[in-house]
Amino acid sequence: MGPIIILGVESSCDDTALALVQDTPDGWRVLARELSSQADIHKKYGGVVPEIASRQHAELINALLERLFGQAQLGWGEVELIAVTNGPGLIGSLLIGVGAAKAIAFAREIPIIGVHHLKGHIYSVFIERPSLAMPFVALVVSGGHTVLVNARGHGDFVEMGRTRDDAAGEAFDKVAKALGLGYPGGPLIDQLAKVGNPGAIPFPRALPAKDSLEFSFSGLKTAVMYFLKQQARDQSAFSLSDLAASFQEAVVDALAEKTVRAAGLAGVKQIVLVGGVACNSRLREKMTQRAAEAGMDVYYPSPELCTDNAEMIACAGYHEFKLGRRDTLRLDVHPSLAI
Ligand code: KG4
Ligand code: ZN
């Protein structure tokens, strides 16, 4: 199969993302990307409001598509495959991306393929590193997901563990909200923690059953809330940066510990970190350190490919296409979808 141009569409949460990518013999070429984040709109609610998110996608997507093709100086006829996220995610948000993708596929008679959002995140690592080969264990860690996946080969993904309650990014966002820092909270806590002492407050490590690969972050979140109440009651002063660093360290410890364990169980030497929380500087540092102790390597994409984007969807869709998978215009959305 020669180099083909793929249109990627991602609208599963609060980012409307589009990309035109080309698979070339030297790797992935991103011809154009458009991304509109709704973070500023959802900020005042402290989290994503589904109804507002879908309405925003609907208002933006056509103009973004026009801009994307203008930027790439390509005609619609040059696209040979459309890859679109069809789950998991917010149903109203997913419907806008899938609806737009189907309309283009129908009008232009281009093949369409639905992509699992988490598989998309996993493929984000190949865009800058096309020579990386499976098997590896991927930690997909974002505002909506905390999942360990044994990526054994293209089309061969096995879930090894996930969070029982909050996603790690959700814990970052909720704690940041309680601290009055703003939304999304992850990057703000990451920044603050740089000048804090991670050992200042001994928060519980979210490690349910030592030998399990499940995560749990709601106990840690409750411990932070309890600490804040206690401090308010005692009118005692504490350092916000120490609290941020201590909380972050507890999350990162759990993530690094379980991921290295999962890689050991899977018998692989490569760990891949993807999803919005994979931007976290302490997670990158600690995971690299823990993996090195276990003789493993860690790979993660640039920040703009860790958070939601459409390049990863195009890349994942293309690999499934190469495996022979095709969808039809009956392609449906699935708010919850197993990997
Ligand atoms: O992948 P993403 O854009 O969207 C989802 O699919 O959820 O991830 C967004 C999440 C938010 O919870 C945000 O707080 C978190 O990623 N995040 C971070 C950092 N940057 C983004 N969390 C911790 N540290 C960061 N530097
Ligand atoms: Zn995501």
Side-chain angles (χ1 to χ4, degrees), residues 117 121 142 308 312:
H117 184 73
H121 272 298
S142 70
D308 287 348
M312 68 184 194

Coordinates of all heavy atoms in Angstrom, one line a residue, residues 117 121 142 308 312, ligand 2:
H117 N -11.1 5.3 21.2 CA -10.3 6.5 21.7 C -9.0 6.0 22.4 O -8.0 6.7 22.2 CB -11.2 7.3 22.7 CG -10.5 8.5 23.2 ND1 -10.3 9.6 22.4 CD2 -10.0 8.8 24.4 CE1 -9.7 10.6 23.1 NE2 -9.5 10.1 24.3
H121 N -5.0 6.8 21.6 CA -4.0 7.3 22.5 C -2.7 6.5 22.4 O -1.6 7.0 22.4 CB -4.5 7.4 24.0 CG -5.2 8.6 24.3 ND1 -4.5 9.9 24.3 CD2 -6.4 8.9 24.8 CE1 -5.4 10.8 24.7 NE2 -6.6 10.2 25.0
S142 N -5.6 9.7 31.6 CA -6.1 11.0 31.2 C -7.2 11.4 32.1 O -7.3 10.9 33.2 CB -6.7 10.9 29.8 OG -7.8 10.1 29.8
D308 N -5.8 15.0 24.0 CA -6.6 14.6 22.9 C -6.2 15.3 21.6 O -6.0 16.5 21.5 CB -8.1 14.8 23.1 CG -8.6 13.8 24.2 OD1 -7.9 12.8 24.5 OD2 -9.7 14.0 24.7
M312 N -3.5 11.0 16.3 CA -3.4 9.6 16.9 C -4.6 8.8 16.3 O -4.5 7.6 16.1 CB -3.5 9.7 18.4 CG -4.8 10.2 19.0 SD -4.7 10.3 20.8 CE -6.4 10.5 21.2
Ligands
ZN2 ZN -8.3 11.2 25.6

